[in-house]
Amino acid sequence: MYARTTRPRGEGPAPFFTPGRVALLVIAALTLLFIFGNTRETKIRLLLPEVSMPLWLALFFTGLIGVLCGRYLGRRHR
């Protein structure tokens, strides 16, 4: 019914570069490229007075708010 996620004993150590770790390294590299490519200042105004901050930071906060809202809504439907 469930897929086996552990290796049987005696088959040696688990490989270091698993597909999940490779995907995580690729995402981390793309994130660093994004950050270093978007360091210029941008002006943002919502409910507060106009604020100036790096573009990558503004997009990071927007993404973080989206992730938190998605997790909250996903948890309520379970």
Side-chain angles (χ1 to χ4, degrees):
M1 184 164 146
Y2 294 104
R4 191 159 92 190
T5 58
T6 59
R7 297 170 56 91
R9 291 184 182 177
E11 287 192 17
F16 182 76
F17 288 108
T18 61
R21 288 181 180 168
V22 170
L24 185 65
L25 287 172
V26 168
I27 290 171
L30 290 174
T31 301
L32 288 174
L33 286 172
F34 175 77
I35 288 171
F36 291 126
N38 291 294
T39 56
R40 69 180 189 277
E41 294 283 318
T42 187
K43 295 179 182 177
I44 299 171
R45 181 179 178 146
L46 186 57
L47 298 173
L48 303 173
E50 193 170 275
V51 178
S52 182
M53 68 174 58
L55 178 60
W56 71 267
L57 191 60
L59 293 172
F60 173 78
F61 284 133
T62 304
L64 183 64
I65 290 169
V67 167
L68 292 175
C69 289
R71 289 185 61 89
Y72 174 73
L73 293 174
R75 188 176 299 199
R76 290 189 63 180
H77 291 316
R78 288 184 186 175

